């Protein structure tokens, strides 16, 4: 099956620093990738939809200047959390939509656990 | 009201038993429905899609009731490895965005 990777899997950073998370689709080209955030015991919340070659579409309440998304190629999207604060500590998961015809709506990366101290 | 609601549980069930849980959704225009499974600190994995006529995959049976706007998941002969959080997911419209429930935690006890 299709594989989506994320890097890093876990990161601890100090408040005020920026963190970049990479999401790669390893065996298919993804024109659309999604970034989710999940707090403990809560549902996945869609943060933004990333489209290759164009600006990301952010969900209501998500600051686009704080969560920078770049989808520069068909296999890579990056999420940069700028000036991170402890409340940004969360589990960040990306997903990629495979080419049409597959039974899966989205393939998920393994997630990145961010801890801001 | 949340768009997708689930009983958070946990459901504590003895091994071998049958367990069922529901999920309700608020948008009558919802088009596609899924059950995902998420293990602790891992990404969600698709368990099964839910079809209008109901569908079965081994020990798992999913049902959709459009009139009452809920979907259900039945697990028969539960195994210890079934312990996980089960997420109900709904797709509305054609923009591929998924609306997620908060999940129902299932614990299978030996």
């Amino acid at each position: 099956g299709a594989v989506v990777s994320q890097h890093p899997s876990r990161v601890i950073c100090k408040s005020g620093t920026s963190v970049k998370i990479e999401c790669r689709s390893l065996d298919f080209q993804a024109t659309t990738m999604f970034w989710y955030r999940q707090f403990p015991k809560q549902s996945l919340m869609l943060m933004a939809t990333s489209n290759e070659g164009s600006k990301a579409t952010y969900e209501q309440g998500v600051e686009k200047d704080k969560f920078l998304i770049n989808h520069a190629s068909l296999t890579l999207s990056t999420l940069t959390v700028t000036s991170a604060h402890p409340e940004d500590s969360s589990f960040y998961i990306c997903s990629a939509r495979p080419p049409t015809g597959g039974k899966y709506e989205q393939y998920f990366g393994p997630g990145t656990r961010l801890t801001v101290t | 009201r949340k768009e997708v609601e689930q009983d958070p549980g946990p459901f504590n069930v003895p091994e071998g038993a049958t367990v069922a849980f529901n999920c309700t959704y608020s948008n009558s225009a919802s088009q596609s429905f899924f059950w995902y499974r998420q293990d602790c600190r891992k990404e969600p994995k698709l368990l099964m899609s839910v079809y209008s006529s109901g569908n079965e995959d081994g020990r798992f049976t999913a049902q959709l009731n459009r009139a009452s706007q809920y979907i259900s998941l039945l697990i028969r002969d539960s195994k210890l490895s079934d312990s996980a959080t089960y997420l109900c997911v709904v797709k509305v419209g054609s923009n591929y965005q998924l609306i997620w429930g908060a999940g129902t935690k299932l614990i299978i006890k030996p």
Side-chain angles (χ1 to χ4, degrees):
Chain A
V3 178
V4 174
S5 70
Q6 269 184 253
H7 177 79
S9 58
R10 183 185 296 267
V11 59
I12 301 173
C13 70
K14 291 186 177 180
S15 188
T17 60
S18 295
V19 174
K20 180 186 282 188
I21 303 170
E22 293 186 349
C23 176
R24 294 181 186 272
S25 56
L26 299 184
D27 55 0
F28 66 94
Q29 294 183 329
T31 54
T32 304
M33 290 184 172
F34 303 90
W35 286 97
Y36 294 88
R37 180 168 54 182
Q38 186 179 32
F39 293 107
K41 299 187 179 182
Q42 295 188 24
S43 60
L44 273 72
M45 296 299 296
L46 180 65
M47 298 175 68
T49 302
S50 169
N51 297 296
E52 187 268 337
S54 64
K55 291 183 179 180
T57 303
Y58 290 82
E59 294 300 301
Q60 192 173 11
V62 178
E63 299 175 57
K64 63 179 181 180
D65 294 329
K66 179 172 179 62
F67 299 98
L68 302 178
I69 291 173
N70 186 307
H71 193 156
S73 77
L74 288 170
T75 59
L76 173 65
S77 176
T78 61
L79 168 68
T80 301
V81 183
T82 62
S83 187
H85 291 285
E87 56 265 31
D88 298 323
S89 298
S90 186
F91 191 46
Y92 291 85
I93 308 175
C94 74
S95 69
R97 179 162 175 79
T100 55
K103 73 172 187 175
Y104 293 96
E105 288 287 329
Q106 298 175 21
Y107 288 95
F108 286 85
T112 296
R113 191 160 299 280
L114 170 64
T115 303
V116 184
T117 60
Chain B
R1 182 185 173 190
K2 293 181 182 177
E3 291 190 73
V4 177
E5 290 202 69
Q6 294 183 252
D7 182 339
F11 284 46
N12 291 284
V13 175
E15 189 177 9
T18 297
V19 60
F21 25 83
N22 291 341
C23 160
T24 58
Y25 60 94
S26 61
N27 192 328
S28 59
S30 299
Q31 296 182 334
S32 304
F33 308 87
F34 310 90
W35 282 105
Y36 276 74
R37 169 196 170 125
Q38 186 175 27
D39 294 291
C40 189
R41 295 175 177 263
K42 300 283 188 181
E43 78 276 21
K45 295 186 187 296
L46 180 64
L47 179 65
M48 58 197 304
S49 301
V50 186
Y51 303 123
S52 297
S53 56
N55 49 299
E56 190 174 304
D57 183 0
R59 298 182 293 109
F60 299 85
T61 301
Q63 297 277 356
L64 167 63
N65 185 318
R66 284 191 182 272
S68 301
Q69 296 185 198
Y70 75 84
I71 67 172
S72 63
L73 179 67
L74 179 82
I75 305 175
R76 289 182 299 277
D77 188 25
S78 52
K79 312 290 185 189
L80 295 176
S81 56
D82 294 333
S83 297
T85 296
Y86 290 83
L87 303 167
C88 171
V89 187
V90 172
K91 188 178 83 167
V92 180
S94 59
N95 61 357
Y96 313 130
Q97 290 186 2
L98 304 177
I99 310 298
W100 296 76
T104 296
K105 186 170 184 177
L106 175 65
I107 300 171
I108 306 299
K109 296 183 176 298

